[in-house]
Amino acid sequence: MARRYDTRTTIFSPEGRLYQVEYAMEAISHAGTSLGILATDGILLAAERRNTNKLLDEVFFSEKIYKLNDDMVCSVAGITSDANVLTNELRLIAQRYLLQYGESIPCEQLVSWLCDVKQAYTQYGGKRPFGVSILYMGWDKHYGYQLYQSDPSGNYGGWKATCIGNNSAAAVSSLKQEYKENETTLAEAQALAVKVLSKTLDMTKLTPEKVEMATLTRKDNKTIIRVLTSSEVEKLITDFEKSEAEAEAAKKQPPKS
Amino acid sequence: MKDDEEKIFRVSDKLVMGVVGDSGDTTQFAEYIAKNIQLYKMRNGYELGPTAAANFTRRNLAEYLRSRTPYFVNILMGGYDKENGPELYFMDYLASSVKVPFAAHGFGGYLSLSIMDRYHKKDLTEEQAYEVLQKCVKEVHKRLFVSLPNFQVTVVNRDGIKVLPVIDSSSSK
């Protein structure tokens, strides 16, 4: 019955829903997880790499994490080809602003601009929406460190910690319990990210090839964006497994009376 | 002939722009820039700093320069930035832009520039700066036989925009 209202994006269903937008979000929920955490001294984005085939030639440094300008990085979840179009557009928007005003675009303006583009695809043109959700991390002089999330509908929000992609709901509730606002340092956030990712990766064990992580910090009035090396990721994973093992052992100990 | 033309436009809370050139072009361009900067403030909840506003103004001048409808205006833009303090930008009709400690446009500028060069120091007080301006105006009135009597003075500092007394021909007495 709902099928009649599916074919064109620009139509409401009788219940007042936009099915194409919802289907786009459904597509994203099957894609590789991406999560972001705001810390007191920086921000981090972590993503699950799905293309771990050994035959893949390492042309790109990063599969899901993209640098947008000197002060902003984003991570995507969803259809990769759609994501490429949007990240290119984000870079264009950022450079146009830099050309016009001579300074870096403030984070929210970049997100807002792209979301206006995404929204247009839900209202006119007869084209399907982009099947991508994006997490943005950045710094600007107005609001400092910021984390944003946008989805195919063109809605966006600012977050302290959030997750998109496969098992994102479970990850978000996990983050809600473990994240301590104004008390989480970048190092703690990295450990937390590994912990949450290990839960969302269905059944498979965490390895450095499966995880991408990038951090954004400020030093001497400049933004430093770093993609962690696989040995750094490996160390985080081993630390996590060690603390898990310790927690398991503590549980097995009979409670001291 | 009109001797009380308002050439200094209020662009935002801590930014002013003095515009000279073809009449019509001056008001049109100044208002266009001022309203665009207000629009930015409405959209984003914060104001453009003086550097960004100067960049924006210069870019507009540059784009219109190679069109069928260039703006024949010379601009001095002054503003106060919380992080970087007061800033002055000199822009001309060929879309050049440079940050300077003091500047002047027009024939009077030829005389004023040397006076300012001689008397300007870093960290002048407002009173001292006003006196330097008075010296410049005095020289302009003395040397240019076609010059106008009144000079409007506007100050921008951390508290906003303030208008100081007009320097007129009585200052040369």
Side-chain angles (χ1 to χ4, degrees):
Chain A
M1 188 260 301
R3 295 274 153 196
R4 242 181 290 159
Y5 304 96
D6 281 359
T7 47
R8 302 217 341 236
T9 57
T10 57
I11 290 189
F12 278 111
S13 78
E15 304 102 58
R17 292 156 68 176
L18 290 169
Y19 280 121
Q20 282 299 306
V21 176
E22 291 181 18
Y23 296 163
M25 307 224 223
E26 181 66 25
I28 293 162
S29 66
H30 297 305
T33 322
S34 249
L35 65 86
I37 305 179
L38 195 62
T40 49
D41 51 341
I43 325 181
L44 80 85
L45 287 177
E48 173 202 344
R49 246 199 196 137
R50 282 265 171 100
N51 288 349
T52 51
N53 198 324
K54 287 210 174 62
L55 289 175
L56 262 184
D57 197 5
E58 279 263 4
V59 177
F60 297 106
F61 197 23
S62 178
E63 179 190 308
K64 290 172 57 128
I65 298 187
Y66 303 84
K67 182 174 170 181
L68 300 178
N69 69 7
D70 284 341
D71 297 307
M72 283 188 77
V73 174
C74 77
S75 169
V76 300
I79 303 173
T80 312
S81 44
D82 286 8
N84 287 336
V85 171
L86 286 180
T87 45
N88 194 42
E89 190 62 36
L90 280 164
R91 287 168 173 158
L92 267 171
I93 296 168
Q95 289 306 119
R96 271 188 217 125
Y97 186 98
L98 182 61
L99 184 63
Q100 192 163 66
Y101 296 104
E103 50 182 39
S104 257
I105 185 168
C107 302
E108 190 175 344
Q109 282 192 47
L110 180 58
V111 177
S112 175
W113 220 286
L114 188 79
C115 287
D116 287 345
V117 173
K118 287 211 234 185
Q119 186 276 344
Y121 282 81
T122 70
Q123 196 175 16
Y124 42 78
K127 305 194 179 109
R128 67 164 175 83
F130 289 96
V132 193
S133 271
I134 309 179
L135 283 181
Y136 312 77
M137 68 172 177
W139 183 94
D140 68 36
K141 63 184 181 191
H142 302 284
Y143 295 113
Y145 295 117
Q146 292 153 74
L147 177 66
Y148 291 96
Q149 179 197 328
S150 71
D151 61 29
S153 65
N155 279 326
Y156 71 89
W159 293 79
K160 297 165 199 159
T162 187
C163 183
I164 51 179
N166 195 15
N167 282 338
S168 54
V172 173
S173 55
S174 176
L175 283 169
K176 204 166 163 187
Q177 287 177 323
E178 313 256 351
Y179 177 77
K180 292 181 213 66
E181 189 182 343
N182 291 335
E183 281 175 25
T184 310
T185 62
L186 199 55
E188 289 165 358
Q190 285 175 336
L192 179 56
V194 170
K195 184 169 176 181
V196 172
L197 267 181
S198 74
K199 287 197 200 132
T200 63
L201 260 55
D202 4 71
M203 302 299 192
T204 49
K205 205 166 107 77
L206 264 188
T207 60
E209 295 83 46
K210 290 223 172 68
V211 178
E212 284 188 309
M213 212 184 276
T215 57
L216 188 144
T217 46
R218 289 280 291 183
K219 194 170 161 179
D220 299 331
N221 251 340
K222 272 185 67 110
T223 304
I224 303 174
I225 294 167
R226 251 183 21 97
V227 178
L228 270 62
T229 60
S230 61
S231 52
E232 286 171 312
V233 178
E234 187 156 9
K235 177 162 188 315
L236 284 168
I237 295 175
T238 30
D239 285 349
F240 163 67
E241 284 169 353
K242 207 161 48 150
S243 67
E244 279 285 285
E246 282 168 9
E248 278 294 311
K251 261 194 266 174
K252 292 214 175 82
Q253 285 267 347
K256 294 199 165 64
S257 50
Chain B
M1 189 154 106
K2 187 172 169 72
D3 61 359
D4 56 357
E5 171 90 30
E6 286 279 331
K7 293 190 179 117
I8 302 183
F9 294 84
R10 232 167 244 245
V11 172
S12 70
D13 287 348
K14 299 209 171 87
L15 194 59
V16 291
M17 193 161 78
V19 189
V20 293
D22 280 1
S23 58
D25 280 4
T26 50
T27 325
Q28 188 76 347
F29 188 74
E31 285 184 354
Y32 174 70
I33 298 293
K35 297 325 172 199
N36 265 291
I37 292 184
Q38 284 301 310
L39 177 61
Y40 184 99
K41 180 175 158 187
M42 292 305 145
R43 275 193 182 135
N44 302 305
Y46 43 77
E47 284 189 354
L48 266 180
T51 314
N55 262 295
F56 173 69
T57 308
R58 191 209 81 81
R59 175 124 332 252
N60 267 287
L61 267 176
E63 276 165 13
Y64 277 106
L65 182 62
R66 285 179 178 79
S67 71
R68 286 179 308 110
T69 57
Y71 284 104
F72 201 84
V73 292
N74 292 316
I75 298 173
L76 287 180
M77 187 179 260
Y80 186 86
D81 184 41
K82 251 197 336 237
E83 273 122 32
N84 303 322
E87 296 185 326
L88 176 67
Y89 287 88
F90 170 101
M91 279 176 264
D92 74 2
Y93 70 100
L94 292 173
S96 69
S97 171
V98 62
K99 186 154 95 100
V100 286
F102 53 83
H105 279 297
F107 285 119
Y110 289 121
L111 309 160
S112 310
L113 232 32
S114 351
I115 296 174
M116 289 193 281
D117 205 32
R118 165 74 179 79
Y119 289 106
H120 180 274
K121 285 186 286 292
K122 226 166 93 69
D123 306 326
L124 278 178
T125 66
E126 192 181 286
E127 290 78 37
Q128 290 170 326
Y130 190 82
E131 277 164 19
V132 175
L133 281 180
Q134 280 180 313
K135 285 192 181 48
C136 295
V137 172
K138 181 169 164 192
E139 205 58 33
V140 165
H141 285 151
K142 196 157 129 191
R143 298 292 175 186
L144 300 181
F145 35 88
V146 185
S147 76
L148 295 172
N150 302 320
F151 282 78
Q152 185 191 5
V153 184
T154 309
V155 180
V156 188
N157 57 21
R158 67 171 62 83
D159 305 317
I161 301 173
K162 190 170 60 165
V163 173
L164 291 184
V166 167
I167 305 175
D168 56 21
S169 38
S170 65
S171 70
S172 58
K173 304 287 187 290

